[in-house]
Amino acid sequence: MSNKKKVNTYTGKEAAMYLTGLCGQNMIYNIIATGLYFYFQNVICLNAVALGWIFALARVWDAINDPMMGTIVDKTKSRWGKCRPYLLFVPPVIMVITIACFLNGNYAAAKDAGNHTSMVLITGWAALSYILWGMSYTIGDIPLWGIIPRMTEDEGDRAKLISLARIIASVGAALVVVAIVPVSQMVNGMLGEDTNAQKGFIIVAIALTVIASIMFELAGIGTRERVPVSEENKSMKESFQLMWSCKPFRRILISGVLRSPMQLMMIVVITLFTYYYCDGDMMRAFTDPKILIILVIIGGGFFIGQFGAMALFPYLIKKVDVKTLYNLTALSGIPTGLMFLIYKIAPYDLAETKWVVIEGILILLGGIGFGLVMVCQSMMISDCIDYEEYHNGFRPDGVFFSGQSFITKLSAGIASIISAYAFNAVGYTDTNIDKMNKALEAGKHFATDFESYSSAMWFLLTVPPAIGMIIAVIPTIKYEISKKEHDTILKALVAKHEADGAEVVTEETAD
């Protein structure tokens, strides 16, 4: 007989299946958030302001739609649970719509030909397909994160899974960010097309989306919901009220909105690297050893900082409140902002060794803050779910984790508007981008011949995100849930669930 304590938690196999699905889901997200944005902006060359508003309006609608989906999840009752039905049946739908987003005409070519009807149709299809994608993605995203607090009642296991989830999500994102542009350009070369032609991007987008969708499906197949379901149901109106009336959760929402400029890093980084360091041809990062080293130092610095912070998170919260860790992320705004100062000092020479090393150090420090923000936010939302159940008897897994999606999407919408008007102000839009691509292929250099574009990108990548990181902690300075209080809450809830006859699984089977 084993003397090990009984815990109501996931098994090792469930965790592996969940994390594989999460990786696939985040690959899909970045195929759109990074790949499609680059495709719309630099391949089919949509108007900058139109592109900004397409992304902004779609994301704002998604942000409003998220709590609605959260309410639906919380009301769901099925033999699979509250979250799993969506994880089982939604990935194929997302796959089809993701692919459809890339099946578009070329805006710059239509404008050069004076074909206004085609310009309107191309812009309209870009908007419609992207809005449909956002709505379908929401149906899968909220259950995917909402299932975590339903998989375990053990705080240590929850922190471990959230930490691993954030790491794997970032791995999925990195795979797409690193691969989608250079591989697409390589395929174009194999097809005899120009570097930024459409065919290669469409082929690679389809291949990546199919692979990622198969992975995503595993989250539904391999997970199991173990925490008891609340019998009480909330209306849409009550769910919105609940999100705002829970003080600690409200602080997280406000903090997330203030941190919106951080999303500019995702929007701008792949375009900046492609043009500033590679003069428009990302394949140079894999054929030129110097550029490859720059990619490894700068990109590697960010991901080492991010992954390191996420990996250490389960150990850090044993010593420090999650609130304290979250608020300390404001310090990462300093190295992020300093990167723009470095650019102003040496606007044409950032590929030199000394500047690459300095950039790598600064971005590593910024990556630490970025990683901690992501994992702390998920942990704090999970704690708020416990807090709400403890105080009011209702467990809002879907509604509260819809808040995480709400923050991400509203932030992305705000960042899209900022980038749209910044790029439009310097003329980085539609046919101008097409002309720039042709000039770069003819031997021009982005850093010296297109300095206004370069300056705008460096500014967007650094200054607004730095400000966002710093001001985002203002609402959470007085965040209500301390480690001591949450320990008390969790013990009370575990006792309540055991008294209600909740299923438990021994640690012997949780490997």
Side-chain angles (χ1 to χ4, degrees), residues 265-286:
M265 299 173 78
M266 181 177 292
I267 291 174
V268 176
V269 65
I270 193 168
T271 301
L272 175 64
F273 194 91
T274 299
Y275 286 102
Y276 186 88
Y277 293 105
C278 302
D279 283 327
D281 183 4
M282 191 68 165
M283 279 304 299
R284 289 183 58 195
F286 301 95

Side-chain angles (χ1 to χ4, degrees), residues 380-500:
M380 291 163 81
I381 291 174
S382 186
D383 290 351
C384 286
I385 293 169
D386 293 333
Y387 178 91
E388 189 64 28
E389 183 183 9
Y390 178 77
H391 286 285
N392 297 308
F394 177 69
R395 189 170 182 83
D397 303 275
V399 171
F400 275 19
F401 264 99
S402 75
Q404 178 171 277
S405 185
F406 172 91
I407 291 168
T408 300
K409 292 174 180 177
L410 183 61
S411 297
I414 293 171
S416 296
I417 290 296
I418 294 171
S419 64
Y421 283 97
F423 281 136
N424 191 65
V426 297
Y428 190 79
T429 182
D430 51 74
T431 54
N432 288 342
I433 296 175
D434 190 46
K435 292 174 183 176
M436 178 196 70
N437 286 333
K438 292 174 180 175
L440 293 175
E441 289 185 359
K444 296 289 185 180
H445 298 288
F446 183 77
T448 54
D449 295 307
F450 299 94
E451 186 176 352
S452 62
Y453 297 170
S454 174
S455 183
M457 289 181 191
W458 277 103
F459 175 81
L460 289 170
L461 185 72
T462 57
V463 176
I467 294 171
M469 289 177 185
I470 293 169
I471 66 173
V473 304
I474 295 174
T476 55
I477 291 173
K478 294 185 178 181
Y479 180 73
E480 287 81 2
I481 306 175
S482 66
K483 179 175 175 58
K484 182 179 179 180
E485 181 179 1
H486 185 253
D487 286 344
T488 301
I489 289 172
L490 204 56
K491 287 178 182 177
L493 291 179
V494 169
K496 175 180 178 295
H497 296 160
E498 288 179 350
D500 291 341

Side-chain angles (χ1 to χ4, degrees), residues 128-372:
L128 177 62
S129 60
Y130 183 66
I131 290 170
L132 289 174
W133 177 85
M135 293 174 68
S136 65
Y137 186 84
T138 293
I139 299 172
D141 185 49
I142 290 168
L144 184 66
W145 286 98
I147 200 172
I148 291 179
R150 301 204 51 72
M151 290 172 67
T152 179
E153 289 182 312
D154 184 274
E155 184 177 27
D157 284 351
R158 184 184 297 174
K160 187 188 301 181
L161 188 58
I162 288 174
S163 178
L164 287 171
R166 282 301 186 180
I167 291 172
I168 295 300
S170 297
V171 169
L175 289 172
V176 172
V177 170
V178 170
I180 192 165
V181 173
V183 175
S184 298
Q185 292 181 336
M186 179 183 70
V187 172
N188 277 327
M190 294 169 61
L191 295 173
E193 302 282 341
D194 293 336
T195 298
N196 288 309
Q198 286 180 261
K199 289 182 180 179
F201 284 86
I202 293 172
I203 291 170
V204 172
I206 291 173
L208 285 175
T209 300
V210 171
I211 293 169
S213 299
I214 293 170
M215 293 170 65
F216 187 8
E217 187 69 39
L218 296 180
I221 294 172
T223 53
R224 188 176 177 188
E225 298 184 24
R226 299 170 180 275
V227 177
V229 177
S230 299
E231 293 299 323
E232 180 184 357
N233 287 323
K234 299 284 186 181
S235 66
M236 294 284 186
K237 180 180 179 181
E238 288 172 331
S239 295
F240 278 99
Q241 291 173 338
L242 178 63
M243 292 175 70
W244 190 252
S245 63
C246 180
K247 285 185 179 180
F249 188 74
R250 182 169 70 225
R251 293 186 188 279
I252 297 170
L253 289 178
I254 296 172
S255 175
V257 173
L258 292 175
R259 203 174 56 245
S260 295
M262 283 180 64
Q263 289 285 333
L264 285 165
M265 299 173 78
M266 181 177 292
I267 291 174
V268 176
V269 65
I270 193 168
T271 301
L272 175 64
F273 194 91
T274 299
Y275 286 102
Y276 186 88
Y277 293 105
C278 302
D279 283 327
D281 183 4
M282 191 68 165
M283 279 304 299
R284 289 183 58 195
F286 301 95
T287 58
D288 186 331
K290 181 180 178 180
I291 296 176
L292 179 60
I293 291 171
I294 293 171
L295 175 63
V296 170
I297 292 175
I298 295 178
F302 181 79
F303 287 111
I304 288 171
Q306 184 182 21
F307 293 160
M310 291 176 175
L312 289 173
F313 177 76
Y315 306 98
L316 292 174
I317 62 165
K318 292 178 181 178
K319 306 292 184 182
V320 185
D321 277 7
V322 66
K323 163 188 172 179
T324 302
L325 286 175
Y326 185 87
N327 290 337
L328 285 173
T329 61
L331 296 175
S332 62
I334 298 172
T336 302
L338 285 175
M339 288 179 61
F340 187 67
L341 177 62
I342 298 300
Y343 167 76
K344 298 303 289 184
I345 293 171
Y348 315 126
D349 304 317
L350 294 185
E352 293 182 2
T353 302
K354 65 177 181 180
W355 296 118
V356 171
V357 172
I358 293 172
E359 290 173 75
I361 294 170
L362 292 176
I363 203 165
L364 183 147
L365 296 173
I368 291 173
F370 191 87
L372 281 178

